[in-house]
Amino acid sequence: MAEHKVFCVKLKKELPGLDEPPFDTELGQKVYDNVSLEAWKGWTEFCKMLLNEYRLQPWTPQAQQFLVEQMEQFFFGEGSALPSEFVPPSH
């Protein structure tokens, strides 16, 4: 089976994509068609930070809706907004 390649909206280059849509929705298909595996890994890390910063319970509909909105911003919008109190780790 040929590798699924996408022109990644986040990283602006052609890269391997996800093996399948991350969820069975229009957004899931859009992610599958436009987001690379590398960018998806970046999103999952960012998602963990959001869950921690906002103390979200990921099984609640409110948290799921919030994360979907953030994901759309992260990949297809202006970029997801960092929590106002978020301080990036200094290296």
Side-chain angles (χ1 to χ4, degrees):
M1 188 167 108
E3 186 174 56
H4 171 64
K5 291 259 193 195
V6 296
F7 185 82
C8 181
V9 293
K10 191 78 178 160
L11 303 175
K12 306 291 187 241
K13 56 186 175 187
E14 190 175 33
L15 291 161
L18 301 174
D19 292 335
E20 57 189 22
F23 18 78
D24 198 15
T25 62
E26 202 173 301
L27 178 60
Q29 188 61 46
K30 190 174 174 184
V31 167
Y32 178 74
D33 292 336
N34 298 285
V35 174
S36 68
L37 194 54
E38 188 179 334
W40 182 256
K41 287 179 181 159
W43 160 251
T44 58
E45 288 305 306
F46 187 76
C47 191
K48 285 181 210 164
M49 184 277 299
L50 289 174
L51 288 167
N52 291 333
E53 287 292 320
Y54 289 111
R55 293 175 174 77
L56 299 174
Q57 279 94 32
W59 56 87
T60 65
Q62 296 88 340
Q64 290 168 7
Q65 181 60 40
F66 173 76
L67 290 173
V68 164
E69 288 165 10
Q70 293 298 307
M71 183 194 306
E72 284 195 86
Q73 282 299 310
F74 188 82
F75 290 124
F76 306 111
E78 296 301 304
S80 183
L82 288 168
S84 54
E85 64 279 3
F86 178 71
V87 179
S90 55
H91 294 292

Coordinates of all heavy atoms in Angstrom, one line a residue:
M1 N 0.8 -1.2 0.0 CA 0.0 0.0 0.0 C 0.9 1.2 0.0 O 1.8 1.4 0.8 CB -0.9 0.0 1.3 CG -1.9 1.1 1.3 SD -3.1 0.8 2.6 CE -2.7 2.0 3.7
A2 N 0.6 2.2 -0.9 CA 1.4 3.4 -1.0 C 1.1 4.3 0.2 O 0.1 4.3 0.8 CB 1.0 4.2 -2.2
E3 N 2.2 5.0 0.6 CA 2.1 5.9 1.7 C 1.2 7.1 1.4 O 1.3 7.6 0.3 CB 3.5 6.4 2.1 CG 3.6 7.2 3.3 CD 5.0 7.6 3.6 OE1 5.7 8.2 2.8 OE2 5.5 7.2 4.7
H4 N 0.4 7.5 2.3 CA -0.5 8.6 2.2 C 0.3 9.9 2.3 O 0.8 10.1 3.4 CB -1.7 8.5 3.2 CG -2.5 9.7 3.3 ND1 -3.3 10.1 2.2 CD2 -2.8 10.5 4.3 CE1 -4.0 11.2 2.6 NE2 -3.7 11.5 3.9
K5 N 0.4 10.7 1.3 CA 1.1 11.9 1.3 C 0.2 13.1 1.3 O -0.9 13.0 0.6 CB 2.1 12.1 0.1 CG 3.2 11.1 0.2 CD 4.5 11.8 0.6 CE 5.7 11.0 0.4 NZ 6.8 11.4 1.2
V6 N 0.5 14.1 2.0 CA -0.3 15.3 2.0 C 0.6 16.6 1.9 O 1.7 16.5 2.3 CB -1.2 15.5 3.3 CG1 -2.2 14.3 3.4 CG2 -0.3 15.6 4.6
F7 N 0.0 17.7 1.4 CA 0.7 18.9 1.5 C 0.2 19.5 2.8 O -1.0 19.9 3.0 CB 0.4 19.9 0.3 CG 1.2 21.1 0.4 CD1 2.5 21.1 0.0 CD2 0.7 22.3 1.0 CE1 3.3 22.3 0.1 CE2 1.5 23.4 1.1 CZ 2.8 23.4 0.7
C8 N 1.1 19.5 3.8 CA 0.7 19.8 5.2 C 0.4 21.3 5.3 O 1.2 22.2 5.0 CB 1.8 19.4 6.2 SG 1.4 19.8 7.9
V9 N -0.9 21.6 5.8 CA -1.3 23.0 6.0 C -0.4 23.7 7.1 O -0.3 24.9 7.1 CB -2.8 23.2 6.4 CG1 -3.6 22.8 5.2 CG2 -3.1 22.4 7.6
K10 N 0.1 22.9 8.1 CA 0.8 23.5 9.2 C 2.3 23.7 8.9 O 2.8 24.7 9.1 CB 0.7 22.5 10.4 CG 1.2 23.1 11.7 CD 0.2 24.1 12.3 CE 0.7 24.6 13.6 NZ 0.0 25.9 14.0
L11 N 2.9 22.7 8.2 CA 4.3 22.8 8.0 C 4.7 23.2 6.5 O 5.8 23.4 6.2 CB 5.0 21.4 8.3 CG 4.7 20.9 9.7 CD1 5.2 19.5 9.9 CD2 5.3 21.9 10.7
K12 N 3.6 23.4 5.7 CA 3.8 24.0 4.4 C 4.7 23.2 3.5 O 5.5 23.7 2.7 CB 4.3 25.4 4.4 CG 3.4 26.3 5.3 CD 2.1 26.6 4.7 CE 1.3 27.6 5.5 NZ 0.0 27.1 6.0
K13 N 4.7 21.8 3.6 CA 5.4 21.0 2.6 C 4.8 19.6 2.6 O 3.9 19.3 3.4 CB 6.9 20.9 3.1 CG 7.1 20.4 4.5 CD 8.6 20.4 4.8 CE 8.8 20.0 6.3 NZ 10.1 20.2 6.7
E14 N 5.1 18.9 1.5 CA 4.6 17.5 1.3 C 5.3 16.6 2.3 O 6.5 16.5 2.4 CB 4.8 17.0 -0.1 CG 4.0 15.8 -0.3 CD 4.0 15.3 -1.7 OE1 5.0 15.5 -2.4 OE2 3.0 14.7 -2.1
L15 N 4.4 15.9 3.0 CA 4.9 14.9 4.1 C 4.0 13.7 4.2 O 2.8 13.8 3.7 CB 4.9 15.6 5.4 CG 6.0 16.7 5.6 CD1 5.6 17.7 6.8 CD2 7.4 16.2 5.8
P16 N 4.4 12.7 4.8 CA 3.5 11.5 5.1 C 2.3 12.0 6.0 O 2.5 12.8 6.9 CB 4.4 10.5 5.9 CG 5.8 10.9 5.5 CD 5.8 12.4 5.3
G17 N 1.1 11.5 5.6 CA -0.1 11.9 6.3 C -0.4 10.8 7.3 O 0.3 9.8 7.5
L18 N -1.6 11.0 8.0 CA -2.1 10.0 8.9 C -2.5 8.7 8.2 O -2.9 8.8 7.0 CB -3.3 10.6 9.7 CG -3.0 11.9 10.4 CD1 -4.3 12.4 11.0 CD2 -2.0 11.6 11.6
D19 N -2.6 7.6 8.8 CA -3.0 6.3 8.2 C -4.5 6.3 7.9 O -4.9 5.7 7.0 CB -2.7 5.2 9.2 CG -1.2 4.9 9.3 OD1 -0.4 5.3 8.4 OD2 -0.8 4.4 10.3
E20 N -5.2 7.1 8.7 CA -6.7 7.2 8.5 C -7.2 8.4 9.2 O -6.5 9.0 10.0 CB -7.4 5.9 9.1 CG -7.1 5.7 10.6 CD -7.6 4.4 11.1 OE1 -7.8 3.5 10.3 OE2 -7.8 4.3 12.3
P21 N -8.4 8.9 8.9 CA -8.9 10.1 9.5 C -8.9 9.9 11.0 O -9.3 8.8 11.5 CB -10.3 10.3 8.9 CG -10.2 9.6 7.6 CD -9.3 8.4 7.8
P22 N -8.6 10.9 11.8 CA -8.5 10.8 13.3 C -9.9 10.6 13.9 O -10.0 10.0 15.0 CB -7.9 12.0 13.8 CG -8.1 13.0 12.7 CD -8.1 12.2 11.4
F23 N -10.9 11.0 13.2 CA -12.3 10.8 13.7 C -13.2 10.9 12.5 O -12.9 11.4 11.4 CB -12.8 11.7 14.8 CG -12.0 13.0 14.9 CD1 -12.1 14.0 14.1 CD2 -11.0 13.1 15.9 CE1 -11.4 15.2 14.1 CE2 -10.2 14.2 16.0 CZ -10.4 15.3 15.1
D24 N -14.4 10.3 12.7 CA -15.4 10.1 11.6 C -16.3 11.3 11.4 O -17.5 11.2 11.6 CB -16.2 8.8 11.9 CG -16.8 8.3 10.6 OD1 -16.4 8.7 9.5 OD2 -17.8 7.5 10.8
T25 N -15.6 12.5 11.1 CA -16.4 13.7 10.8 C -15.8 14.4 9.6 O -14.8 14.0 9.1 CB -16.3 14.6 12.0 OG1 -14.9 15.0 12.2 CG2 -16.8 14.0 13.3
E26 N -16.5 15.5 9.2 CA -15.9 16.3 8.1 C -14.6 16.8 8.5 O -13.6 16.8 7.7 CB -16.9 17.4 7.9 CG -16.8 18.0 6.5 CD -17.9 19.0 6.3 OE1 -19.1 18.7 6.3 OE2 -17.6 20.2 6.0
L27 N -14.4 17.3 9.8 CA -13.1 17.8 10.2 C -12.1 16.7 10.2 O -10.9 16.9 9.8 CB -13.2 18.4 11.6 CG -11.9 19.0 12.2 CD1 -11.3 20.1 11.3 CD2 -12.1 19.5 13.6
G28 N -12.4 15.5 10.6 CA -11.5 14.4 10.6 C -11.0 14.1 9.2 O -9.8 13.9 9.0
Q29 N -11.9 14.2 8.2 CA -11.5 14.0 6.8 C -10.6 15.1 6.4 O -9.6 14.9 5.7 CB -12.7 13.9 5.9 CG -12.4 13.5 4.5 CD -11.8 12.1 4.4 OE1 -12.2 11.2 5.0 NE2 -10.7 12.1 3.6
K30 N -10.9 16.3 6.8 CA -10.1 17.5 6.4 C -8.7 17.4 7.0 O -7.7 17.7 6.3 CB -10.8 18.8 6.9 CG -10.2 20.1 6.4 CD -11.1 21.3 6.9 CE -10.5 22.6 6.6 NZ -11.2 23.7 7.1
V31 N -8.6 16.9 8.2 CA -7.3 16.7 8.9 C -6.5 15.6 8.1 O -5.4 15.8 7.7 CB -7.5 16.3 10.3 CG1 -6.2 15.8 10.9 CG2 -7.9 17.5 11.2
Y32 N -7.2 14.5 7.7 CA -6.6 13.5 7.0 C -6.0 13.9 5.7 O -4.9 13.6 5.2 CB -7.6 12.3 6.8 CG -7.1 11.2 6.0 CD1 -6.2 10.3 6.5 CD2 -7.5 11.0 4.6 CE1 -5.7 9.2 5.8 CE2 -7.0 9.9 3.9 CZ -6.1 9.0 4.5 OH -5.7 7.9 3.8
D33 N -6.8 14.8 5.0 CA -6.4 15.3 3.7 C -5.3 16.4 3.7 O -4.7 16.6 2.7 CB -7.6 15.9 2.9 CG -8.6 14.8 2.6 OD1 -8.2 13.6 2.5 OD2 -9.8 15.1 2.4
N34 N -5.2 17.1 4.8 CA -4.3 18.3 4.8 C -3.3 18.4 5.9 O -2.5 19.3 6.0 CB -5.2 19.5 5.0 CG -6.2 19.7 3.9 OD1 -5.8 20.1 2.8 ND2 -7.4 19.4 4.1
V35 N -3.2 17.4 6.8 CA -2.3 17.5 8.0 C -1.3 16.3 8.0 O -1.8 15.1 7.8 CB -3.1 17.5 9.3 CG1 -2.2 17.4 10.5 CG2 -4.0 18.7 9.3
S36 N -0.1 16.6 8.1 CA 0.9 15.5 8.2 C 1.0 14.9 9.5 O 0.5 15.4 10.5 CB 2.3 16.1 7.8 OG 2.8 16.9 8.9
L37 N 1.6 13.7 9.5 CA 1.8 12.9 10.8 C 2.6 13.8 11.8 O 2.3 13.8 13.0 CB 2.5 11.6 10.5 CG 2.5 10.5 11.5 CD1 1.1 10.2 12.0 CD2 3.1 9.3 11.0
E38 N 3.6 14.4 11.2 CA 4.5 15.3 12.1 C 3.7 16.4 12.7 O 3.8 16.6 13.9 CB 5.6 15.8 11.2 CG 6.7 16.5 11.9 CD 7.8 17.1 11.0 OE1 8.0 16.5 9.9 OE2 8.4 18.0 11.3
A39 N 2.9 17.1 12.0 CA 2.0 18.2 12.5 C 1.0 17.6 13.5 O 0.7 18.3 14.5 CB 1.3 18.9 11.4
W40 N 0.5 16.4 13.2 CA -0.5 15.8 14.1 C 0.1 15.5 15.5 O -0.5 15.8 16.5 CB -1.1 14.5 13.5 CG -2.1 13.9 14.4 CD1 -1.9 12.8 15.2 CD2 -3.5 14.3 14.6 NE1 -3.1 12.5 15.9 CE2 -4.1 13.5 15.5 CE3 -4.2 15.4 14.1 CZ2 -5.4 13.6 16.0 CZ3 -5.5 15.5 14.5 CH2 -6.1 14.6 15.5
K41 N 1.4 15.1 15.5 CA 2.1 14.8 16.7 C 2.3 16.1 17.5 O 2.2 16.2 18.7 CB 3.5 14.2 16.4 CG 3.3 12.7 16.0 CD 4.7 12.1 15.7 CE 4.5 10.6 15.3 NZ 5.6 10.1 14.6
G42 N 2.6 17.2 16.7 CA 2.6 18.5 17.4 C 1.3 18.9 18.0 O 1.3 19.5 19.1
W43 N 0.2 18.6 17.3 CA -1.1 18.9 17.9 C -1.4 18.1 19.2 O -1.9 18.6 20.1 CB -2.2 18.7 16.9 CG -3.5 18.5 17.5 CD1 -4.3 17.3 17.6 CD2 -4.3 19.5 18.2 NE1 -5.4 17.6 18.3 CE2 -5.5 18.9 18.7 CE3 -4.1 20.8 18.5 CZ2 -6.4 19.6 19.4 CZ3 -5.1 21.5 19.2 CH2 -6.2 20.9 19.6
T44 N -1.0 16.8 19.2 CA -1.3 16.0 20.3 C -0.5 16.5 21.6 O -1.0 16.5 22.7 CB -1.0 14.5 20.1 OG1 0.4 14.3 19.7 CG2 -1.9 13.9 19.0
E45 N 0.7 17.0 21.3 CA 1.5 17.6 22.4 C 0.8 18.9 22.9 O 0.7 19.2 24.1 CB 2.9 17.9 22.0 CG 3.8 16.7 21.8 CD 3.8 15.8 23.1 OE1 4.2 16.4 24.2 OE2 3.5 14.6 23.0
F46 N 0.4 19.7 22.0 CA -0.3 21.0 22.3 C -1.6 20.7 23.0 O -1.9 21.4 24.0 CB -0.6 21.8 21.0 CG -1.1 23.1 21.2 CD1 -0.3 24.2 21.6 CD2 -2.4 23.4 21.0 CE1 -0.8 25.4 21.8 CE2 -3.0 24.7 21.2 CZ -2.1 25.7 21.6
C47 N -2.3 19.7 22.6 CA -3.5 19.3 23.2 C -3.3 18.9 24.7 O -4.1 19.3 25.5 CB -4.1 18.1 22.4 SG -5.8 17.7 22.8
K48 N -2.3 18.2 24.9 CA -2.0 17.8 26.3 C -1.8 19.1 27.2 O -2.2 19.1 28.3 CB -0.7 16.9 26.4 CG -0.9 15.5 26.0 CD 0.4 14.8 26.1 CE 0.5 13.7 25.0 NZ 1.9 13.2 24.9
M49 N -1.1 20.0 26.6 CA -0.8 21.3 27.3 C -2.2 22.0 27.6 O -2.4 22.5 28.7 CB 0.1 22.2 26.5 CG 0.5 23.5 27.2 SD -0.7 24.9 27.0 CE -0.8 25.1 25.2
L50 N -3.1 22.0 26.6 CA -4.4 22.6 26.8 C -5.2 21.9 27.9 O -5.7 22.6 28.8 CB -5.2 22.6 25.5 CG -4.8 23.5 24.4 CD1 -5.6 23.2 23.1 CD2 -4.9 25.0 24.8
L51 N -5.1 20.6 27.9 CA -5.9 19.8 28.9 C -5.3 20.1 30.3 O -6.1 20.3 31.2 CB -5.7 18.3 28.6 CG -6.5 17.8 27.4 CD1 -6.0 16.4 27.1 CD2 -8.0 17.8 27.7
N52 N -4.0 20.2 30.4 CA -3.4 20.5 31.7 C -3.7 22.0 32.1 O -4.1 22.2 33.3 CB -1.9 20.3 31.7 CG -1.6 18.8 31.5 OD1 -2.4 18.0 32.0 ND2 -0.5 18.5 30.9
E53 N -3.4 22.9 31.2 CA -3.6 24.3 31.6 C -5.0 24.7 32.0 O -5.2 25.5 32.9 CB -3.1 25.2 30.4 CG -1.6 25.3 30.2 CD -0.9 26.0 31.3 OE1 -1.3 27.0 31.8 OE2 0.2 25.5 31.7
Y54 N -5.9 24.2 31.2 CA -7.3 24.5 31.5 C -8.0 23.4 32.4 O -9.2 23.5 32.7 CB -8.1 24.5 30.1 CG -7.8 25.8 29.3 CD1 -7.1 25.7 28.1 CD2 -8.2 27.0 29.7 CE1 -6.8 26.8 27.4 CE2 -7.9 28.2 29.0 CZ -7.2 28.0 27.8 OH -6.9 29.1 27.0
R55 N -7.2 22.4 32.8 CA -7.8 21.4 33.7 C -9.0 20.8 33.1 O -10.1 20.6 33.8 CB -8.0 21.9 35.1 CG -6.7 22.2 35.8 CD -6.9 22.9 37.2 NE -5.6 23.1 37.8 CZ -4.8 24.1 37.5 NH1 -5.0 24.9 36.6 NH2 -3.6 24.2 38.2
L56 N -9.0 20.4 31.8 CA -10.2 19.8 31.1 C -10.3 18.4 31.4 O -9.3 17.6 31.6 CB -10.0 20.0 29.6 CG -9.9 21.5 29.1 CD1 -9.6 21.5 27.7 CD2 -11.1 22.3 29.4
Q57 N -11.5 17.9 31.5 CA -11.8 16.5 31.5 C -12.2 16.1 30.0 O -13.3 16.5 29.6 CB -13.0 16.2 32.4 CG -12.6 16.1 33.9 CD -12.8 17.4 34.6 OE1 -13.7 18.2 34.3 NE2 -12.0 17.7 35.6
P58 N -11.3 15.4 29.4 CA -11.5 15.1 27.9 C -12.7 14.3 27.6 O -13.1 14.3 26.4 CB -10.2 14.4 27.5 CG -9.6 14.0 28.8 CD -10.1 14.8 29.9
W59 N -13.4 13.7 28.5 CA -14.6 12.9 28.2 C -15.8 13.7 28.3 O -16.9 13.3 27.9 CB -14.7 11.7 29.2 CG -14.7 12.2 30.7 CD1 -15.8 12.6 31.4 CD2 -13.6 12.4 31.5 NE1 -15.4 13.0 32.6 CE2 -14.0 12.9 32.8 CE3 -12.2 12.1 31.4 CZ2 -13.2 13.1 33.8 CZ3 -11.4 12.4 32.4 CH2 -11.9 12.9 33.6
T60 N -15.7 15.0 28.7 CA -16.9 15.9 28.7 C -17.2 16.5 27.4 O -16.2 16.9 26.7 CB -16.8 17.0 29.8 OG1 -15.7 17.8 29.4 CG2 -16.5 16.4 31.2
P61 N -18.5 16.7 27.0 CA -18.8 17.3 25.7 C -18.2 18.7 25.6 O -17.7 19.1 24.5 CB -20.3 17.3 25.7 CG -20.7 16.3 26.7 CD -19.6 16.2 27.7
Q62 N -18.2 19.5 26.7 CA -17.6 20.8 26.7 C -16.2 20.8 26.3 O -15.7 21.6 25.5 CB -17.8 21.5 28.0 CG -19.2 21.7 28.5 CD -19.8 20.5 29.2 OE1 -19.3 19.4 29.2 NE2 -20.9 20.8 30.0
A63 N -15.4 19.9 26.9 CA -14.0 19.8 26.6 C -13.7 19.4 25.2 O -12.9 19.9 24.5 CB -13.3 18.9 27.6
Q64 N -14.5 18.4 24.8 CA -14.4 17.9 23.4 C -14.7 19.0 22.4 O -13.9 19.2 21.4 CB -15.3 16.7 23.2 CG -14.8 15.5 23.9 CD -15.9 14.4 24.0 OE1 -16.9 14.4 23.3 NE2 -15.6 13.3 24.8
Q65 N -15.7 19.8 22.6 CA -16.1 20.9 21.7 C -14.9 21.9 21.7 O -14.5 22.4 20.7 CB -17.4 21.5 22.2 CG -17.8 22.7 21.3 CD -18.1 22.3 19.8 OE1 -18.6 21.2 19.6 NE2 -17.7 23.1 18.9
F66 N -14.4 22.3 22.9 CA -13.3 23.2 23.0 C -12.1 22.7 22.2 O -11.5 23.5 21.4 CB -13.0 23.4 24.5 CG -11.7 24.3 24.7 CD1 -11.8 25.6 24.5 CD2 -10.5 23.7 25.0 CE1 -10.6 26.4 24.7 CE2 -9.4 24.4 25.2 CZ -9.4 25.8 25.1
L67 N -11.8 21.5 22.4 CA -10.6 20.9 21.7 C -10.8 20.9 20.2 O -9.8 21.1 19.4 CB -10.2 19.5 22.2 CG -9.7 19.6 23.7 CD1 -9.5 18.1 24.2 CD2 -8.4 20.3 23.8
V68 N -12.0 20.6 19.7 CA -12.3 20.6 18.3 C -12.0 22.0 17.7 O -11.4 22.2 16.7 CB -13.7 20.1 18.0 CG1 -14.1 20.5 16.6 CG2 -13.7 18.6 18.2
E69 N -12.6 23.0 18.5 CA -12.4 24.4 18.0 C -10.9 24.8 18.0 O -10.4 25.4 17.1 CB -13.1 25.4 19.0 CG -14.6 25.3 18.8 CD -15.4 25.9 19.9 OE1 -14.8 26.6 20.8 OE2 -16.7 25.7 20.0
Q70 N -10.2 24.4 19.1 CA -8.7 24.7 19.1 C -8.0 24.0 18.0 O -7.1 24.5 17.4 CB -8.2 24.2 20.5 CG -8.7 25.0 21.6 CD -8.3 26.5 21.5 OE1 -7.2 26.9 21.4 NE2 -9.3 27.4 21.6
M71 N -8.4 22.7 17.7 CA -7.7 22.0 16.6 C -8.0 22.7 15.2 O -7.0 22.8 14.4 CB -8.3 20.6 16.5 CG -7.6 19.7 15.4 SD -8.4 18.2 15.0 CE -8.6 17.5 16.6
E72 N -9.2 23.2 15.0 CA -9.5 23.9 13.8 C -8.6 25.1 13.7 O -8.0 25.4 12.6 CB -11.0 24.3 13.7 CG -11.8 23.1 13.3 CD -13.2 23.5 12.9 OE1 -13.4 23.7 11.7 OE2 -14.1 23.5 13.8
Q73 N -8.4 25.8 14.8 CA -7.6 27.0 14.8 C -6.1 26.6 14.6 O -5.4 27.3 13.8 CB -7.7 27.8 16.1 CG -8.9 28.6 16.3 CD -9.0 29.7 15.2 OE1 -8.1 30.4 15.0 NE2 -10.1 29.8 14.5
F74 N -5.7 25.6 15.2 CA -4.3 25.1 15.2 C -3.9 24.8 13.7 O -2.8 25.2 13.3 CB -4.2 23.9 16.1 CG -2.7 23.4 16.2 CD1 -1.9 24.0 17.2 CD2 -2.3 22.3 15.5 CE1 -0.6 23.5 17.3 CE2 -1.0 21.8 15.7 CZ -0.1 22.4 16.6
F75 N -4.8 24.1 13.0 CA -4.4 23.7 11.6 C -4.9 24.6 10.6 O -4.2 24.8 9.6 CB -5.0 22.3 11.4 CG -4.3 21.2 12.1 CD1 -5.0 20.3 13.0 CD2 -2.9 21.0 12.0 CE1 -4.3 19.3 13.7 CE2 -2.2 20.0 12.8 CZ -3.0 19.2 13.6
F76 N -6.1 25.2 10.7 CA -6.8 25.9 9.6 C -7.1 27.3 9.9 O -7.6 28.0 9.0 CB -8.1 25.1 9.2 CG -7.8 23.7 9.0 CD1 -8.3 22.7 9.8 CD2 -7.1 23.3 7.8 CE1 -8.1 21.4 9.6 CE2 -6.9 21.9 7.6 CZ -7.4 21.0 8.5
G77 N -6.8 27.8 11.1 CA -7.1 29.2 11.5 C -5.9 30.0 11.7 O -4.8 29.7 11.2
E78 N -6.0 30.9 12.6 CA -4.9 31.8 12.9 C -3.9 31.1 13.9 O -2.9 31.8 14.3 CB -5.5 33.1 13.6 CG -6.4 33.9 12.8 CD -5.7 34.4 11.5 OE1 -4.6 35.0 11.6 OE2 -6.2 34.0 10.4
G79 N -4.1 29.9 14.2 CA -3.3 29.3 15.2 C -4.1 29.3 16.5 O -4.8 30.3 16.8
S80 N -4.0 28.3 17.3 CA -4.7 28.2 18.6 C -4.2 29.2 19.5 O -3.0 29.5 19.6 CB -4.6 26.8 19.1 OG -5.3 26.6 20.3
A81 N -5.1 29.8 20.3 CA -4.7 30.8 21.3 C -4.1 30.1 22.5 O -4.7 29.1 23.0 CB -5.9 31.6 21.7
L82 N -2.9 30.5 23.0 CA -2.4 29.9 24.2 C -3.1 30.5 25.4 O -3.6 31.7 25.3 CB -0.9 30.3 24.3 CG 0.0 29.6 23.4 CD1 1.4 30.3 23.4 CD2 0.2 28.1 23.7
P83 N -3.3 29.7 26.4 CA -3.9 30.3 27.6 C -3.1 31.5 28.1 O -1.9 31.6 28.0 CB -3.8 29.2 28.7 CG -3.5 28.0 27.9 CD -2.8 28.4 26.6
S84 N -3.8 32.6 28.5 CA -3.2 33.8 28.9 C -2.1 33.6 29.9 O -1.1 34.3 29.9 CB -4.2 34.8 29.4 OG -5.0 34.3 30.4
E85 N -2.3 32.7 30.8 CA -1.2 32.5 31.9 C -0.2 31.5 31.4 O 0.8 31.2 32.2 CB -1.9 32.0 33.2 CG -2.6 30.6 33.1 CD -4.0 30.7 32.5 OE1 -4.5 31.8 32.0 OE2 -4.7 29.6 32.4
F86 N -0.2 31.0 30.2 CA 0.7 30.0 29.7 C 2.1 30.7 29.5 O 2.2 31.7 28.8 CB 0.3 29.3 28.4 CG 1.3 28.4 27.9 CD1 1.5 27.1 28.5 CD2 2.1 28.7 26.8 CE1 2.5 26.2 28.1 CE2 3.0 27.8 26.3 CZ 3.2 26.5 26.9
V87 N 3.1 30.1 30.1 CA 4.5 30.5 29.9 C 5.3 29.4 29.2 O 5.4 28.3 29.8 CB 5.2 30.9 31.2 CG1 6.6 31.4 31.0 CG2 4.4 32.0 32.0
P88 N 5.7 29.6 28.0 CA 6.5 28.5 27.3 C 7.7 28.2 28.1 O 8.3 29.0 28.7 CB 6.8 29.1 25.9 CG 6.4 30.5 25.9 CD 5.7 30.8 27.2
P89 N 8.0 26.9 28.1 CA 9.2 26.5 28.9 C 10.5 27.1 28.2 O 10.6 27.2 27.0 CB 9.3 24.9 28.7 CG 8.3 24.6 27.6 CD 7.4 25.8 27.4
S90 N 11.3 27.7 29.1 CA 12.6 28.3 28.6 C 13.6 27.2 28.5 O 13.7 26.4 29.4 CB 13.0 29.4 29.4 OG 13.1 29.0 30.8
H91 N 14.4 27.2 27.4 CA 15.5 26.2 27.3 C 16.8 26.8 27.6 O 17.2 27.8 27.3 CB 15.5 25.7 25.8 CG 14.2 24.9 25.5 ND1 13.9 23.7 26.1 CD2 13.2 25.2 24.7 CE1 12.8 23.3 25.6 NE2 12.3 24.2 24.8

